[in-house]
Amino acid sequence: MFVPSMLLKQLYTHGSLCRTSQGVRFMLKNRLKDATIQSLNWIALDGKRIDEDKIYLEISPEEILSFTEFNQKGEVSFDLKQVLTVHLHLDESVSPEKRKVGISFKASPFGKLKFEVEDNVSEETSDKTQIPRDNHDDYEEGIIGKRQRYFENFTKGKVNHVGKYSIDPQQLKGNIEHFIGVAQVPMGIAGPLIIDGEHAKGEFVVPLATTEGTLVASYNRGMKLLNMSGGVKSTVVDDAMQRAPVFVFSDARGARDFAKWVQDNIATIREHAEGTSSVAKLTYIDHFLSNKFAFLRFNYKTGDAAGQNMVGRATFAACGWILDNYQGIENFYLESNFATDKKASQINIMRTRGKRVTAEATIKREHLLSVMRVDPKQIDYHGRVAGVGSFLSGVNNTGLHSPNGITAMFIATGQDVANVSESSAGILYSELTEEGDLYLSLTIPSLIVATYGGGTGIGTQRECLELMDCYGRDRAYKFAEIVGAVALAGEISLASAISSSDWVSSHEQYGRNR
């Protein structure tokens, strides 16, 4: 398996080359995929190979092997995110000058690998004011307890509720660092909500984690109203996740020619990108030219994962091949801020980021009058007035509060809550039917959700997804349809409350923690 040199160098942990009591050491961390090391060929410093009897490898705090013992072992597990510490029994001085560290080894499924990086030898820190951590197992109870005591001593307080949890800390690798406990957020349920989706069909009760009074009650009221008129039709209409590198040239003509070359070679670029993942599929590459810069926007489908890290790794591999095969690139950055990760943006509204979901319903006039005490004409008129306010303020959402329900569901189900920034965009549309009923439609153009990977597999988060039959593979579209339908329920509930002047009284009754 070919691994671009840029990607291979990511195995080395920069800043880890430190002087110790026995010599120097540096760390390797698997940032590619699960692997096994079959043999270590050599390690070099400044181009000179180190004597084998001076090389030791720390697989875990309990197991340190010599070069010979390591190779005699046959195969050593090197799983994704696993750390391997290399100890060199050399007398090297601390210096700011860069040193060249080289290593060659054979690993499955990659084959023979070698790379060289630059780092300087620094002093190994023993600062007791630093947060305690263990490079090889930072999630065992002993180190967690040390961090809790460190926090208590530093703050002169007490870790109480935070330190009480039911999850296995060992399952949190890749989710959090310096773990000390959990934040408990109150959770309520709303529903059932009838959904007519292509993937989500039937009635769903949804968990909402929030500390905002009236939120659960408001969404529940909206669901009741929608059910009376047959529920919500919810549809995923597009799916894309991006990484957007930028390439710098000497002039605009160079950037233009490069963009054409990329399109001509997209098949090979796709091969290198998709080689890093069994899930990521590169669908197309947009290019945007400005000054002497070529901004590329790689668009992927990422299955049931949100996929930001997945597409970052895939794009990095693709760019490694591009840099090796195209002359004239003066500079390169993997992310140009054009993917707008964790930021609301117009390009996401237009081109989709995550899942593009539309939820729609036709609500009977008599149901609006009986449940919400409001006529469809009032809501429709208020929507047009609010549209002027949306235009004047420049917001990314013509609706009322779809991020409320989205955030509450994100917290409950282990989504990356910072993705609410992109997912906050919404396009709300209404019209009166000839019968005097209200048609309401909400499009969420950049809803970033996952049902597998990330935080979705942790304790309560996984449990909430499982309770909706939304955990695991082939569930992401289903979950997106549910989120879209729930957001629509919140829109009609609050729109009715504002149009009928019931908003303030509801908050007085339910939303004040006196």
Side-chain angles (χ1 to χ4, degrees):
M1 179 186 295
F2 172 73
V3 183
S5 58
M6 285 182 62
L7 195 61
L8 186 57
K9 290 178 181 180
Q10 297 301 304
L11 292 172
Y12 181 83
T13 300
H14 285 273
S16 66
L17 186 60
C18 297
R19 186 174 67 176
T20 67
S21 59
Q22 294 180 311
V24 293
R25 59 99 169 138
F26 62 86
M27 286 184 287
L28 303 175
K29 183 175 182 179
N30 188 348
R31 297 174 173 90
L32 300 176
K33 61 188 298 184
D34 288 346
T36 56
I37 300 177
Q38 298 166 315
S39 63
L40 177 62
N41 300 324
W42 49 261
I43 295 174
L45 189 62
D46 294 330
K48 182 180 179 181
R49 294 189 184 184
I50 307 224
D51 293 341
E52 294 178 0
D53 61 357
K54 295 182 178 179
I55 300 173
Y56 293 82
L57 298 105
E58 185 177 350
I59 300 172
S60 70
E62 295 78 30
E63 188 172 15
I64 300 177
L65 304 176
S66 68
F67 182 96
T68 302
E69 291 170 335
F70 185 88
N71 284 330
Q72 286 175 344
K73 201 173 178 68
E75 288 191 344
V76 176
S77 175
F78 194 36
D79 295 335
L80 186 66
K81 298 184 175 70
Q82 184 178 337
V83 173
L84 183 69
T85 303
V86 178
H87 296 272
L88 307 177
H89 289 192
L90 303 173
D91 185 16
E92 297 292 336
S93 301
V94 172
S95 171
E97 297 298 324
K98 295 291 185 182
R99 308 290 297 274
K100 291 182 179 179
V101 179
I103 183 168
S104 171
F105 59 97
K106 183 180 179 182
S108 175
F110 305 108
K112 187 176 180 180
L113 302 172
K114 68 175 181 178
F115 63 87
E116 186 177 72
V117 295
E118 291 187 342
D119 203 357
N120 65 293
V121 179
S122 60
E123 194 72 66
E124 186 174 38
T125 179
S126 59
D127 190 347
K128 294 183 179 180
T129 65
Q130 288 190 341
I131 297 172
R133 66 184 310 273
D134 186 319
N135 289 327
H136 290 273
D137 188 357
D138 208 34
Y139 299 88
E140 58 93 18
E141 294 296 338
I143 194 66
I144 294 169
K146 287 181 180 179
R147 278 195 293 269
Q148 290 172 344
R149 291 188 292 274
Y150 167 86
F151 196 22
E152 289 176 335
N153 292 334
F154 191 89
T155 61
K156 310 303 180 190
K158 182 67 178 175
V159 172
N160 184 16
H161 295 288
V162 168
K164 297 173 182 176
Y165 48 86
S166 59
I167 56 178
D168 179 3
Q170 292 293 339
Q171 296 180 352
L172 300 178
K173 295 176 182 178
N175 291 119
I176 192 168
E177 300 76 41
H178 298 166
F179 174 78
I180 63 164
V182 298
Q184 300 179 69
V185 182
M187 190 182 302
I189 55 174
L193 174 61
I194 299 171
I195 302 176
D196 176 21
E198 294 177 302
H199 306 270
K201 285 186 175 293
E203 294 184 308
F204 296 87
V205 175
V206 299
L208 300 168
T210 182
T211 56
E212 181 183 348
T214 77
L215 188 146
V216 176
S218 176
Y219 277 80
N220 198 63
R221 185 173 79 146
M223 293 176 186
K224 175 184 176 182
L225 172 68
L226 292 171
N227 287 345
M228 293 173 69
S229 296
V232 182
K233 179 182 284 186
S234 193
T235 310
V236 176
V237 297
D238 197 11
D239 181 8
M241 180 50 66
Q242 297 79 25
R243 185 60 60 201
V246 59
F247 294 81
V248 182
F249 295 86
S250 60
D251 54 32
R253 195 172 300 167
R256 180 200 64 189
D257 294 345
F258 169 73
K260 182 181 183 303
W261 180 87
V262 168
Q263 297 305 325
D264 290 342
N265 289 273
I266 191 169
T268 306
I269 293 171
R270 178 180 288 113
E271 179 184 342
H272 286 276
E274 295 180 358
T276 64
S277 170
S278 61
V279 176
K281 302 300 177 186
L282 178 61
T283 53
Y284 64 98
I285 302 174
D286 278 331
H287 67 265
F288 301 85
L289 303 177
S290 180
N291 307 96
K292 57 180 182 176
F293 310 128
F295 294 86
L296 301 185
R297 202 166 188 259
F298 285 65
N299 291 267
Y300 298 85
K301 291 188 183 300
T302 58
D304 294 287
Q308 291 101 317
N309 293 334
M310 182 193 302
V311 303
R313 187 165 59 250
T315 304
F316 191 77
C319 290
W321 180 83
I322 290 171
L323 291 169
D324 287 343
N325 288 274
Y326 192 86
Q327 301 298 316
I329 299 170
E330 293 191 343
N331 212 336
F332 155 79
Y333 300 97
L334 179 62
E335 181 49 61
S336 62
N337 222 14
F338 202 66
T340 68
D341 197 12
K342 306 297 196 303
K343 294 175 283 293
S345 68
Q346 189 63 32
I347 194 168
N348 285 345
I349 293 175
M350 299 299 294
R351 300 292 283 161
T352 302
R353 181 169 169 85
K355 310 295 186 283
R356 193 179 195 93
V357 186
T358 295
E360 50 196 337
T362 299
I363 307 162
K364 296 291 185 182
R365 180 174 183 271
E366 60 264 31
H367 297 156
L368 273 168
L369 288 170
S370 63
V371 177
M372 300 296 191
R373 301 186 299 280
V374 64
D375 191 279
K377 290 181 180 179
Q378 292 174 263
I379 294 179
D380 183 64
Y381 179 71
H382 171 253
R384 283 183 278 125
V385 172
V388 177
S390 298
F391 172 76
L392 291 174
S393 63
V395 295
N396 70 334
N397 192 319
T398 62
L400 296 167
H401 73 144
S402 59
N404 249 339
I406 291 171
T407 304
M409 290 194 74
F410 273 22
I411 295 172
T413 60
Q415 309 302 311
D416 186 339
V417 185
N419 286 331
V420 172
S421 55
E422 294 110 307
S423 304
S424 66
I427 306 161
L428 188 67
Y429 170 77
S430 69
E431 66 181 41
L432 295 174
T433 69
E434 292 184 359
E435 295 78 17
D437 300 328
L438 180 71
Y439 169 81
L440 194 66
S441 170
L442 174 67
T443 292
I444 305 172
S446 46
L447 179 66
I448 302 176
V449 293
T451 57
Y452 189 79
T456 62
I458 300 171
T460 59
Q461 292 85 348
R462 175 171 177 167
E463 191 171 293
C464 285
L465 284 170
E466 288 177 335
L467 288 167
M468 293 184 288
D469 189 33
C470 283
Y471 177 75
R473 299 189 184 278
D474 301 322
R475 295 290 189 276
Y477 280 21
K478 179 179 182 178
F479 183 58
E481 288 178 348
I482 295 172
V483 174
V486 170
L488 186 69
E491 291 299 291
I492 187 59
S493 181
L494 184 54
S496 300
I498 295 174
S499 298
S500 66
S501 300
D502 189 37
W503 186 24
V504 175
S505 61
S506 295
H507 269 271
E508 282 294 312
Q509 181 178 355
Y510 297 109
R512 298 186 68 181
N513 186 354
R514 300 180 186 276

